[in-house]
């Protein structure tokens, strides 16, 4: 059997590839933290029907130094209510571990180590599914990357060889409808960086070949992420930019300074906050850490969670609803469902309605043709079936949401429709 080699053997050759700290970080100065108040207040004042929906928010708040006992107790209660967590996907469980474990004192024993053991099992179930279902995991590669990151940060077990095989840039699971998924790639970079640092620190053993593969995978993913940079500085779209920034923070050794203007990205994001781009709690939670120079790699650094609540203007007052003084105006949209055939109808809805409202009105017109089901997620409702035809990860099928033949960047519960728009739900493969 070939002997494993730790850092002492290869470290001097490769140590320069591992930054000892986050080198390229542009963050908002504390004097300008008031720009982030809308994000904080959205997260604090939102209601969460399930504890897991609050995990992303709790993680984000902890990283910027804000403790929220109500959210934490909600998550802890869910842990106690469902000991085996059968209803949670692997990625949801990973997020739960990150949220509960964030900011814990380094000399304390992690109180939820049993969750890490459960995540190890769920991660292996993902791998086994890929072996029998043409390389398709039970969930997706974003969740697999979350799994690896949580296992790495909280000393879980995983196979370095499996990691090197999973995260090649050519893997189809990094692409959605032919388009590279920036947030998936970004989460993979964070996971690979964590694995790589454990090897360098002597906490994990592997051989030179595996280490080289991990390093090359991370570098290739960073290059691909940078290729998705827009002229205004956004990376992918507004919702993937936060995690892309985190990935670039921890991998500055893979690109030149002139390849990414971090300040430009920061300024573009700040302009989008008052425009309501992050009105969903999960969207706010995913962008916030990067704006203050934090990444999910900081979860196990107690120093990163020093109280920062005094830097923000946190409001716990609910907005006062004002009764309309006149009847709402209505708009007309054209709605279609496309499977093998296309079924269409015109739908009238109040101005300000979202895509889901249109689907519900169409279902009232013809339940046979336009019936559908949705499930709640941290990003709001997503379509699971139309006309009884279900989305299936193993077959890489899903229901695509389009406006004027172009995919929308928001979910059906948040995309606001406009008069005369041509809306479509299409049975697609990715």
């Amino acid at each position: 059997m070939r002997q494993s080699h730790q850092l002492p053997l290869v470290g001097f050759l490769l140590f320069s590839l591992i930054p000892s700290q986050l080198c390229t970080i542009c963050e908002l100065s504390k004097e300008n933290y008031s720009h982030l108040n809308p994000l904080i207040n959205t997260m604090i004042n939102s209601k969460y029907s399930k504890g897991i929906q609050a995990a992303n928010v709790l993680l984000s708040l902890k990283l910027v130094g804000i403790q929220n006992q109500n959210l934490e107790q909600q998550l802890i209660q869910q842990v106690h209510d469902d000991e085996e967590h059968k209803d949670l996907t692997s990625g949801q469980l990973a997020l739960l571990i990150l949220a509960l474990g964030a900011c814990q004192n380094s000399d304390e024993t992690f109180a939820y180590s049993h969750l890490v053991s459960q995540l190890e099992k769920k991660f292996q179930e993902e791998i086994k599914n890929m072996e029998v279902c043409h390389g398709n995991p039970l969930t997706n590669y974003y969740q697999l990357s979350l799994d690896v990151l949580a296992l790495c940060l909280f000393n879980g077990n995983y196979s370095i060889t499996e990691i090197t095989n999973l995260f090649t840039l050519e893997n189809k699971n990094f692409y959605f409808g032919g388009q590279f998924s920036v947030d998936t790639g970004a989460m993979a970079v964070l996971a690979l960086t964590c694995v790589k640092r454990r090897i360098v620190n002597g906490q994990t053993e592997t051989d030179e070949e595996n280490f080289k593969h991990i390093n090359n995978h991370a570098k290739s993913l960073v290059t691909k992420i940078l290729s998705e940079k827009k002229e205004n500085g956004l990376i992918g779209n507004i919702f993937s930019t936060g995690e892309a920034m985190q990935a670039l923070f921890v991998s500055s050794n893979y690109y030149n300074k002139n390849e990414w203007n971090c300040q430009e990205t920061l300024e573009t994001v700040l302009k989008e906050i008052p425009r309501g781009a992050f009105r969903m709690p999960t969207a706010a939670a995913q962008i916030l850490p990067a704006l203050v120079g934090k990444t999910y790699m900081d979860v196990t650094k107690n120093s990163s969670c020093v109280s920062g609540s005094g830097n923000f203007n946190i409001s716990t007052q609910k907005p006062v609803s004002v009764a309309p003084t006149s009847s709402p105006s209505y708009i007309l949209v054209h709605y279609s469902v496309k499977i093998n055939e296309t079924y269409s109808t015109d739908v009238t809805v109040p101005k300000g309605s979202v895509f889901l409202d249109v689907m519900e009105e169409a279902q009232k017109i013809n339940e046979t043709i336009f019936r559908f089901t949705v499930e709640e997620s941290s990003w709001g409702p997503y379509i699971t079936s139309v006309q009884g035809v279900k989305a299936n990860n193993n077959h890489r099928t899903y229901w695509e949401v389009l406006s004027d033949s172009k995919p929308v960047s928001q979910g059906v519960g948040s995309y606001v429709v406009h008069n005369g728009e041509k809306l479509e739900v299409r049975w697609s493969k990715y």
Side-chain angles (χ1 to χ4, degrees), residues 181-323:
S181 174
V182 171
D183 49 2
T184 300
M187 190 58 67
V189 169
L190 290 169
L192 289 169
T193 301
C194 181
V195 171
K196 200 169 56 170
R197 289 183 180 179
R198 284 185 64 88
I199 296 171
V200 169
N201 293 333
Q203 296 166 293
T204 302
E205 294 185 3
T206 192
D207 58 33
E208 288 187 53
E209 195 66 23
N210 278 339
F211 187 92
K212 182 179 179 181
H213 285 314
I214 290 172
N215 192 66
N216 288 340
H217 294 344
K219 183 176 182 179
S220 297
L221 286 167
V222 168
T223 301
K224 191 66 177 176
I225 289 169
L226 286 170
S227 73
E228 298 294 327
K229 181 170 54 68
K230 312 303 181 192
E231 288 186 4
N232 62 1
L234 294 183
I235 308 168
N237 58 42
I238 188 67
F239 303 111
S240 61
T241 295
E243 289 175 338
M245 291 176 71
Q246 290 191 39
L248 295 176
F249 286 168
V250 303
S251 60
S252 57
N253 50 297
Y254 293 136
Y255 59 92
N256 297 320
K257 288 185 178 180
N258 60 2
E259 292 184 76
W260 177 43
N261 186 336
C262 183
Q263 193 62 37
E264 179 185 46
T265 301
L266 180 64
E267 291 172 0
T268 299
V269 170
L270 291 176
K271 290 176 184 176
E272 291 296 326
I273 293 175
R275 295 172 183 169
F278 307 103
R279 61 179 176 272
M280 288 186 64
T282 298
Q286 289 196 352
I287 194 66
L288 180 62
L291 299 181
V292 296
K294 302 295 183 182
T295 80
Y296 294 152
M297 293 283 291
D298 295 319
V299 161
T300 50
K301 296 179 182 177
N302 189 48
S303 60
S304 70
C305 304
V306 176
S307 177
S309 57
N311 298 315
F312 301 99
N313 179 20
I314 302 173
S315 170
T316 56
Q317 294 182 345
K318 301 290 189 293
V320 179
S321 59
V322 180

Side-chain angles (χ1 to χ4, degrees), residues 41-48 70 315-321:
N41 292 327
T42 292
M43 292 188 282
I44 294 289
N45 294 321
S46 295
K47 293 182 179 180
Y48 306 96
N70 289 336
S315 170
T316 56
Q317 294 182 345
K318 301 290 189 293
V320 179
S321 59

